[in-house]
């Protein structure tokens, strides 16, 4: 497509979306609906050509799909793939009220399979190794035995932050006395975390706005 | 109306205009806020730098055009660095929209800046693979089951760069540029922690806070948002001064970031000051009893 035309479409859609900052209007609605429609169509096409064709049709009918699936030439059909094909069709029974219950079998397989697949990885990467990462020395020394103040302070903050945060979510004992103070410190740790996350989100949004402003600048530059 | 009330009831469109000006003016004036790399970014640079020339690097573009302003500068800096060091780069994506992001690099940046680098010998586009974390798992278990050709359908055996790639561990590092799920987190969970391949990369500022806990044990380094990209550019320019003008995309975008952040901090302070002044003002009983908080 012509670059100038692309710049005009880019700029027009950007201005239509930004017009919502003033108030809701038909231009914004048009751009919004266009975005939803194009995204849905794109994902549907990708779903067919990148999911169904290579992962299912290419396995069941390799000679038929040899023109579009690399490596399918000369491969014999793999009929095990009839099982996921049937499960996939079962999902579509949701469209027919009388047979909709059949879709639960496929959903049960998806939920069970995903849980079984993900649980060990999350348990290992997000729990056990994370606990290991918190078991660190509070006093850090260099090779000569000198105290590294920065690293030691960092480790102390990390360990205390984790303990205070965990205590805040420990509801089996009433948060009074020492536990109350630690729990209160845990709230501060959480607030700092949320604040940092919010700061990062602001940075992300400003980055996107900067990208749009640069695009508008390129469009104006093509005119003047 | 008293001044604190006026400030608290300011039309939000005025704030939009101020933010717009805070972004546009630095873009026009182009002030430079040179960053120095923090250890978490420097460790990525050092890892790429210390790899022997010809090392196989796996670079996953796990993002689409919606987050390109943040992640494109990281992608360009990483590609420039890996290519300058003479590494063999395999581009890949777990995002359907990532295909276009890879093409921007292979069609625009590489032929212009590295004309001596050849497709299939120095870099390859392995394209998009569906399956989220499952796709990574399959690649770690049996790479060729999932990836047996490049994005154009050329068998891996026919490309010199991938002819002897049989397993994921044939890659010395995994770099991922992440806009969400799947992304760096999945590469850590399903590749780094299982196969022991060093994982590093960058993420949008929104996902960065979720990724910091993995550093340094599970994640070698992380570029968090535009700031991270800017730091990597600084590290690259420090080592290769020839890139001073080419790789300053993130650094140039830090101008609007700095000005806008200062503006937002000022607005937050002003809003709080106005709120407390309004609360302590004469005759403001509702304010004194904590009922006068007008959000927004």
């Amino acid at each position: 497509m012509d670059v100038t035309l692309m710049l005009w479409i880019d700029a027009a859609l950007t201005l239509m979306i930004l017009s919502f900052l003033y108030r809701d209007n038909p231009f914004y609605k048009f751009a919004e609906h266009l975005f939803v429609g194009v995204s849905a169509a794109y994902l549907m096409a990708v779903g067919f050509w990148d999911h169904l064709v290579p992962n299912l049709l290419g396995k069941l009918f390799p000679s038929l799909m040899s023109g579009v699936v690399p490596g399918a030439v000369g491969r014999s059909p793999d009929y095990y793939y009839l099982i996921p094909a049937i499960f996939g069709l079962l999902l579509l029974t949701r469209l027919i009220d009388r047979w909709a219950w059949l879709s639960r079998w496929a959903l049960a397989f998806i939920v069970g399979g995903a849980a079984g697949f993900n649980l060990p990885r999350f348990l290992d990467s997000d729990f056990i190794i994370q606990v290991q990462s918190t078991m660190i020395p509070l006093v850090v020394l260099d090779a000569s035995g000198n105290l590294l103040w920065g690293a030691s302070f960092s480790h102390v903050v990390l360990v205390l932050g984790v303990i205070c945060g965990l205590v805040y979510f420990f509801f089996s004992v009433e948060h009074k006395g020492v536990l109350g103070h630690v729990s209160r410190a845990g709230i501060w740790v959480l607030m700092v975390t949320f604040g940092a996350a919010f700061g990062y989100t602001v940075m992300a949004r400003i980055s996107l706005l900067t990208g749009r402003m640069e695009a508008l600048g390129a469009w104006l530059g093509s005119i003047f | 109306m008293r001044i604190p009330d006026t400030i608290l009831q300011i039309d939000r469109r005025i704030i939009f205009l101020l933010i717009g000006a805070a972004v546009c003016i630095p873009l026009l004036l182009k002030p430079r806020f040179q960053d120095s790399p923090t250890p978490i970014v420097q460790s990525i640079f050092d890892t790429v730098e210390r790899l022997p020339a010809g090392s196989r690097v796996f670079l996953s573009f796990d993002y689409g055009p919606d987050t390109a302003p943040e992640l494109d500068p990281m992608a360009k800096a990483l590609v420039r660095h890996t290519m300058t060091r003479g590494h063999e780069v395999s581009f890949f994506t777990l995002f359907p929209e990532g295909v276009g992001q890879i093409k921007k690099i292979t069609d625009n940046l590489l032929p212009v800046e590295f004309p001596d680098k050849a497709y299939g010998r120095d870099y390859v586009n392995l394209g998009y693979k569906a399956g989220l974390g499952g796709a990574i798992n399959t690649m770690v278990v049996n790479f060729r089951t999932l990836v047996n050709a490049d994005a154009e359908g050329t068998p891996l055996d026919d490309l010199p760069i991938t002819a002897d790639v049989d397993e994921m561990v044939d890659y010395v590092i995994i770099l991922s540029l992440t806009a969400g799920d799947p992304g760096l987190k999945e590469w850590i969970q399903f590749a780094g922690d299982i196969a022991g391949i060093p994982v590093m990369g960058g993420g949008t500022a929104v996902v960065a806070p979720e990724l910091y806990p993995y550093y340094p044990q599970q994640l070698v380094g992380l570029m968090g948002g535009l700031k991270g990209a800017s730091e990597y550019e600084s590290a690259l320019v420090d080592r290769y001064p020839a890139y001073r003008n080419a790789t300053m995309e993130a650094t140039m975008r830090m101008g609007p970031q700095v000005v806008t952040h200062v503006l937002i901090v000022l607005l937050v302070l002003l809003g709080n000051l106005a709120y407390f002044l309004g609360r302590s003002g004469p005759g403001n009983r509702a304010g004194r009893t904590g009922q006068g908080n007008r959000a927004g």
Side-chain angles (χ1 to χ4, degrees):
Chain A
M1 193 189 284
D2 181 44
V3 176
T4 312
L5 182 63
M6 279 173 66
L7 279 174
W8 276 84
I9 294 172
D10 188 7
L13 290 172
T14 301
L15 289 173
M16 284 179 195
I17 291 291
L18 288 179
S19 69
F20 184 75
L21 294 176
Y22 183 70
R23 66 166 63 143
D24 200 0
N25 62 76
F27 296 106
Y28 169 76
K29 284 226 163 17
F30 169 76
E32 187 185 34
H33 289 129
L34 185 71
F35 176 73
V36 172
V38 169
S39 301
Y42 181 77
L43 290 175
M44 200 169 165
V46 166
F48 181 75
W49 288 107
D50 287 328
H51 294 218
L52 272 182
V53 169
N55 298 331
L56 183 67
L57 301 178
K59 308 284 185 184
L60 287 173
F61 316 108
S63 54
L64 199 67
M65 294 290 149
S66 58
V68 286
V69 179
V73 183
R75 206 165 55 193
S76 54
D78 192 343
Y79 292 113
Y80 283 116
Y81 281 84
L82 280 173
I83 299 169
I86 291 167
F87 272 105
L89 290 171
L90 285 181
L91 274 177
L92 295 177
T93 59
R94 289 174 68 87
L95 301 171
I96 308 162
D97 285 345
R98 276 177 57 200
W99 297 345
W101 59 275
L102 283 169
S103 67
R104 291 180 196 160
W105 289 2
L107 272 178
F109 180 81
I110 291 169
V111 172
F117 177 71
N118 286 316
L119 188 65
R121 293 314 324 138
F122 276 84
L123 196 64
D124 187 36
S125 299
D126 287 5
F127 183 68
I128 294 172
I129 301 179
Q130 288 290 303
V131 171
Q132 283 175 352
S133 302
T134 315
M135 294 176 179
I136 47 176
L138 296 181
V139 177
V140 185
L141 305 174
D142 64 11
S144 319
N146 300 317
L147 179 67
L148 296 174
W149 286 97
S152 301
F153 178 73
S154 227
H155 285 197
V156 169
V157 169
L158 176 67
V159 171
L160 290 182
V162 170
I163 291 171
C164 294
L166 285 174
V167 167
Y168 174 72
F169 287 106
F170 184 65
F171 301 120
S172 300
V173 180
E174 197 176 349
H175 290 182
K176 286 198 304 194
V178 176
L179 208 65
H181 290 300
V182 177
S183 166
R184 192 147 189 83
I187 296 176
W188 279 97
V189 171
L190 291 178
M191 289 299 125
V192 169
T193 308
F194 296 148
F198 175 71
Y200 263 109
T201 305
V202 169
M203 181 163 76
R205 302 302 175 235
I206 298 303
S207 301
L208 300 186
L209 181 61
T210 306
R212 286 300 81 210
M213 290 299 126
E214 283 178 345
L216 287 177
W219 168 64
L220 287 173
S222 73
I223 299 171
F224 302 108
Chain B
M1 191 181 285
R2 297 178 319 133
I3 292 173
D5 293 333
T6 311
I7 292 171
L8 287 173
Q9 291 172 7
I10 194 168
D11 192 324
R12 66 175 60 193
R13 284 170 291 199
I14 293 172
I15 295 174
F16 294 152
L17 276 177
L18 288 174
I19 296 287
V23 168
C24 291
I25 293 170
L27 277 179
L28 292 171
L29 300 179
K30 299 188 189 330
R32 282 202 173 191
F33 295 91
Q34 189 81 32
D35 266 313
S36 54
T38 48
I40 195 169
V41 173
Q42 186 70 44
S43 62
I44 306 176
F45 184 87
D46 291 342
T47 306
V48 173
E49 185 70 18
R50 284 177 193 148
L51 289 176
S55 298
R56 279 203 198 93
V57 173
F58 193 87
L59 179 48
S60 190
F61 281 47
D62 304 323
Y63 69 100
D66 52 338
T67 47
E70 275 188 285
L71 297 174
D72 269 357
M74 293 181 198
K76 289 175 185 172
L78 283 173
V79 168
R80 285 179 177 123
H81 193 193
T82 50
M83 285 293 153
T84 305
R85 292 288 304 136
H87 301 322
E88 296 177 0
V89 182
S90 293
F91 297 105
F92 180 80
T93 178
L94 292 166
F95 266 47
E97 308 95 315
V99 176
Q101 304 308 312
I102 295 173
K103 278 188 79 67
K104 279 201 293 189
I105 296 290
T106 55
D107 292 0
N108 303 332
L109 189 146
L110 287 170
V112 174
E113 295 189 22
F114 300 93
D116 55 324
K117 301 287 182 187
Y119 183 85
R121 188 193 66 198
D122 302 301
Y123 64 95
V124 65
N125 177 8
L126 300 178
Y128 161 69
K129 295 294 172 205
L132 313 175
I136 303 172
N137 191 59
T138 307
M139 287 161 72
V140 168
V141 174
N142 189 344
F143 188 78
R144 293 279 182 134
T145 306
L146 191 75
V147 187
N148 50 28
D150 73 350
E152 301 300 323
T154 309
L156 294 191
D157 288 331
D158 295 351
L159 299 164
I161 187 173
T162 50
D164 53 350
V165 173
D166 296 316
E167 298 176 84
M168 197 69 212
V169 289
D170 287 331
Y171 289 98
V172 291
I173 56 168
I174 295 171
L175 289 156
S176 168
L177 300 172
T178 300
D181 296 332
L184 259 176
K185 191 172 178 174
E186 282 71 20
W187 285 109
I188 292 167
Q189 288 176 332
F190 293 99
D193 287 348
I194 291 181
I197 310 166
V199 176
M200 62 204 83
T204 60
V206 172
V207 302
E210 286 179 35
L211 296 169
Y212 276 110
Y214 295 107
Y215 174 79
Q217 193 158 337
Q218 296 159 278
L219 190 64
V220 174
L222 175 71
M223 290 178 272
L226 204 65
K227 176 86 168 63
S230 170
E231 290 177 19
Y232 200 91
E233 285 181 351
S234 296
L236 191 60
V237 167
D238 283 346
R239 178 71 182 80
Y240 302 101
Y243 284 127
R244 182 162 297 282
N245 294 322
T247 60
M248 287 289 115
E249 200 171 321
T251 306
M252 297 307 286
R253 288 181 186 164
M254 283 307 288
Q257 287 285 349
V258 172
V259 176
T260 312
H261 275 72
V262 169
L263 175 67
I264 289 171
V265 169
L266 287 176
L267 287 173
V268 168
L269 290 175
L270 193 65
N272 276 277
L273 187 69
Y275 170 69
F276 285 111
L277 284 176
R279 236 170 55 137
S280 60
N284 194 347
R285 193 166 177 274
R288 279 197 299 273
T289 53
Q291 296 166 17
N293 186 2
R294 281 160 292 209

